[in-house]
């Protein structure tokens, strides 16, 4: 199969690289010439484990290339994947589809034979039909089908998720399109990974439903954690006990400082808007959005309480600011709410993050970045574990406690054990959901 991927952001790049690794011929297209030059040089603009080596090996095998010229890339193509951004539109919470439609129109104008136009970007119900309309309007006699093929990749584990998916969803309307899509994913179906074929709307909804449900699961456990703090109880054990019920499952029950990232906040908001617009309110999702804000606010209160309700001139070291480990992504990270709130209350904040600085510098302008956690904690009044990077799981706590002015730790990911922290010389240890 010959595949063109439009947009070399997170989803586009991972999909393009993995499709080429399946053995397909893949051309990734982006308007950003600097990005294309970087990719051609074998460099990956984002941090995703193993993506660079997989990309380089497929480039060397001449299955994967990069260009800013869409028209030439489309020659003889079987499927064109649209993987451009769908950010939240300012003001109304809707997904902004201007980039999707612009890409669709451009593809229509350059296509020379039959191809399946596949939307990978997360888009509201009905968008694939709109894509079809936009393309028909641009070139009325064009021979093409549309397909909705949502992605379920987790940042930091994207290659693994692509290569060993729980399922692949393809929303199609014609057998011809289905055949192309099944051929593209044959390397997975041959290994018994399920490929679920649905209509367009169902595929679009599966994506939103899955993300909103996962965000709900996290928020549920976060609210349970707050309850544990009030009534006594250990959220880790509550989650374990719940998760042992196969109907519930043990994944995504890790209490923390609230969900963030490029997907859950944006997609829950978009689904709530879709429901409102169709007079079919998604009350649970609306509540989840609100509750997630309360969870973040609770984290600020916890840090404040730990520091005797006074942050003025206190030196606080924040370990981890990306929205989760193994990514440099700062989008909607809880740190973007929590860190400014600490600074606003007079604290001096030092940040340690293995990958976050490049993106984080502009977003967290008033913090000091220090690479080495042992240097960062010199004379500090509190350490806050905000993102559970492996680097922060096995710190020498004694060494840290000795260097701090007043050794206190807020462990917002429950990485440590209370007794270990106290034995190391800390005066206070504040986890999440352990009353
Ligand atoms: C999420 C979904 O997991 C993917 O299936 C989906 O494809 C992707 O969104 C998307 O729509 O593109 P991602 O945002 O990369 O993936 O990250 P997750 O691992 O799902 O984590 C999201 C947030 O939830 C993070 O802030 C994380 O810290 C938090 N989380 C996750 C918890 O607080 N507790 C948990 O138990 C799990």
């Amino acid at each position: 199969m010959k595949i063109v991927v439009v947009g070399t952001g997170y989803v586009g790049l991972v999909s393009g690289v993995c499709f080429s690794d399946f053995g397909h011929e893949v051309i990734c297209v982006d308007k950003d010439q600097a990005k294309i030059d970087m990719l051609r040089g074998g460099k990956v603009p984002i941090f995703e484990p193993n993506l660079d080596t997989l990309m380089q090996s497929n480039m060397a095998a001449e299955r994967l290339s990069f260009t800013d010229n869409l028209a030439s890339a489309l020659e003889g193509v079987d499927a064109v994947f649209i993987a451009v951004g769908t950010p939240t539109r300012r003001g109304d919470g809707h997904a902004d589809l201007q980039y999707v439609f612009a890409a669709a129109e451009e593809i229509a104008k350059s296509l020379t034979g039959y191809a399946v136009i596949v939307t990978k970007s997360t888009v509201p119900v009905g968008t694939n039909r709109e894509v079809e309309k936009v393309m028909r309007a641009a070139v009325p006699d064009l021979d093409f089908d549309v397909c909705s093929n949502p992605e379920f990749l987790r940042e930091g584990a994207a290659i693994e998720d692509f290569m060993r998916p729980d399922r692949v969803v393809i929303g199609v309307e014609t057998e011809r399109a289905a055949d192309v899509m099944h051929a593209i994913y044959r390397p997975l179906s041959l290994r018994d990974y399920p490929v679920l074929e649905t209509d367009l709307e169902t595929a679009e909804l599966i994506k939103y439903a899955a993300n909103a449900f996962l965000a709900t699961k996290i928020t549920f456990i976060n609210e349970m954690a707050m309850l544990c703090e009030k009534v006594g109880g250990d959220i880790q054990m509550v989650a374990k006990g719940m998760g042992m019920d196969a109907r519930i499952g043990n994944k995504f029950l890790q209490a923390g400082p609230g969900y963030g990232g490029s997907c859950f906040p944006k997609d829950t908001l978009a689904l709530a808007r879709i429901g409102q617009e169709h007079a079919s309110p998604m009350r649970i999702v609306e509540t989840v959005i609100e509750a997630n804000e309360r969870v973040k606010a609770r984290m600020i209160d916890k840090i404040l309480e730990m520091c005797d309700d006074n942050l003025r001139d206190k030196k606080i070291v924040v370990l981890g600011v990306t929205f989760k480990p193994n990514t440099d992504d700062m989008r909607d990270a809880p740190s973007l709410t929590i860190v400014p709130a600490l600074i606003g209350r007079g604290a001096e904040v030092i940040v340690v993050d293995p990958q976050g600085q490049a993106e984080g510098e502009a977003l967290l302008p008033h913090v000091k970045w220090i690479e080495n956690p042992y240097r960062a904690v010199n004379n500090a009044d509190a350490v806050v574990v905000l993102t559970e990077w492996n680097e922060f799981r096995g710190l020498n706590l004694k060494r840290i406690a000795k260097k701090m002015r007043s050794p206190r730790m807020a462990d917002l990911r429950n990485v440590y054990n209370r007794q270990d922290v106290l034995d190391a010389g800390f005066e206070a240890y504040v986890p999440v959901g352990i009353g």
Side-chain angles (χ1 to χ4, degrees):
M1 288 278 136
K2 177 173 172 185
I3 294 172
V4 166
V5 180
V6 181
T8 60
Y10 194 82
V11 173
L13 192 56
V14 171
S15 307
V17 168
C18 291
F19 282 141
S20 67
D21 205 61
F22 286 172
H24 302 307
E25 182 194 341
V26 178
I27 305 179
C28 293
V29 182
D30 204 293
K31 283 189 177 346
D32 184 341
Q33 181 63 51
K35 211 166 169 189
I36 291 296
D37 289 343
M38 189 176 177
L39 291 162
R40 279 184 178 152
K43 287 213 179 67
V44 173
I46 49 169
F47 175 75
E48 178 64 32
N50 304 325
L51 185 57
D52 49 357
T53 44
L54 201 64
M55 182 177 103
Q56 287 151 9
S57 67
N58 282 289
M59 286 169 78
E62 296 186 5
R63 286 189 294 258
L64 176 65
S65 59
F66 300 94
T67 180
D68 63 346
N69 187 338
L70 177 66
S72 68
L74 290 176
E75 190 62 46
V77 72
D78 293 294
V80 188
F81 284 77
I82 300 179
V84 295
T86 54
T88 301
R89 199 161 59 193
R90 214 177 286 180
D92 64 4
H94 273 295
D96 187 345
L97 298 175
Q98 59 166 316
Y99 307 106
V100 173
F101 295 141
E105 190 175 337
E106 219 183 313
I107 293 164
K109 288 180 177 157
S110 308
L111 213 56
T112 50
Y114 175 81
V116 183
I117 313 306
V118 191
T119 307
K120 257 231 171 285
S121 309
T122 301
V123 291
V125 198
T127 303
N128 276 277
R129 290 199 194 281
E130 284 299 316
V131 164
E132 192 172 357
K133 272 193 212 151
V134 167
M135 293 184 65
R136 284 254 174 271
V139 185
D141 57 352
L142 201 64
D143 190 16
F144 73 101
D145 281 307
V146 291
C147 167
S148 166
N149 175 218
E151 53 86 19
F152 302 99
L153 311 174
R154 284 165 306 161
E155 290 190 18
I159 309 261
E160 172 74 14
D161 284 351
F162 199 100
M163 297 297 192
R164 281 181 256 284
D166 288 333
R167 78 308 206 182
V168 172
V169 173
I170 51 175
V172 280
E173 301 255 274
T174 69
E175 220 166 281
R176 199 174 177 195
D179 288 347
V180 170
M181 295 309 291
H182 282 293
I184 288 174
Y185 283 107
R186 184 148 302 127
L188 294 180
S189 51
L190 279 175
R191 283 183 286 144
D192 285 336
Y193 292 107
V195 177
L196 184 68
E197 193 181 316
T198 71
D199 59 48
L200 292 173
E201 284 75 15
T202 304
E204 290 168 337
L205 279 172
I206 287 172
K207 169 68 188 196
Y208 278 111
N211 270 5
F213 193 85
L214 291 170
T216 303
K217 210 171 169 189
I218 297 167
T219 306
F220 181 86
I221 208 69
N222 283 339
E223 286 200 322
M224 284 301 295
M226 293 196 267
L227 186 62
C228 281
E229 288 172 7
K230 293 269 161 65
V231 301
D234 178 338
I235 195 62
Q236 311 259 68
M237 294 311 280
V238 172
K240 203 168 185 177
M242 281 173 66
M244 282 172 172
D245 187 325
R247 292 169 302 176
I248 297 173
N250 59 8
K251 303 218 172 91
F252 275 64
L253 284 179
Q254 175 67 44
Y259 63 77
S262 58
C263 306
F264 289 170
K266 166 173 79 72
D267 293 349
T268 44
L269 215 56
L271 186 58
R273 287 287 175 274
I274 294 169
Q276 284 158 9
E277 221 162 56
H278 292 81
S280 184
M282 305 294 295
R283 294 270 190 253
I284 293 177
V285 179
E286 288 171 5
T287 304
V288 163
I289 296 167
E290 215 185 288
N292 195 49
E293 292 307 313
R294 274 203 307 277
V295 172
K296 290 190 256 179
R298 170 75 190 128
M299 299 302 131
I300 299 161
D301 289 347
K302 282 166 81 79
I303 298 167
L304 200 58
E305 281 161 28
M306 180 177 78
C307 295
D308 312 317
D309 289 321
N310 179 11
L311 296 184
R312 193 136 299 280
D313 301 325
K314 295 239 164 77
K315 186 171 166 184
I316 298 182
V317 177
V318 174
L319 301 180
V321 286
T322 53
F323 82 95
K324 64 177 200 176
N326 296 325
T327 177
D328 58 355
D329 201 333
M330 293 285 302
R331 283 177 283 180
D332 272 314
S335 65
L336 297 180
T337 307
I338 296 169
V339 170
L342 303 180
I343 294 171
R345 285 167 177 76
E348 176 197 349
V349 175
I350 319 273
V351 170
V352 184
D353 192 291
Q355 294 292 337
Q357 187 169 356
E359 241 194 80
E361 262 175 344
L363 298 166
L364 296 170
H366 303 296
V367 307
K368 191 167 165 196
W369 299 79
I370 295 184
E371 258 174 55
N372 183 329
Y374 298 102
R375 268 207 316 113
V377 296
N378 257 338
N379 289 323
D381 297 286
V383 165
V384 177
V385 181
L386 195 43
T387 310
E388 69 280 33
W389 283 92
N390 269 342
E391 285 86 336
F392 305 143
R393 287 179 185 274
L395 292 169
N396 181 333
L397 296 177
K398 264 194 190 142
R399 199 172 146 199
I400 292 197
K402 253 195 209 131
K403 292 189 153 193
M404 292 177 71
R405 188 156 46 201
S406 58
R408 291 180 266 214
M409 181 193 282
D411 180 2
L412 306 184
R413 298 284 183 173
N414 291 346
V415 167
Y416 287 102
N417 169 283
R418 183 192 301 273
Q419 205 50 52
D420 292 347
V421 177
L422 297 179
D423 288 350
F426 276 79
E427 295 158 14
Y429 174 70
V430 178
V432 171
I434 302 177

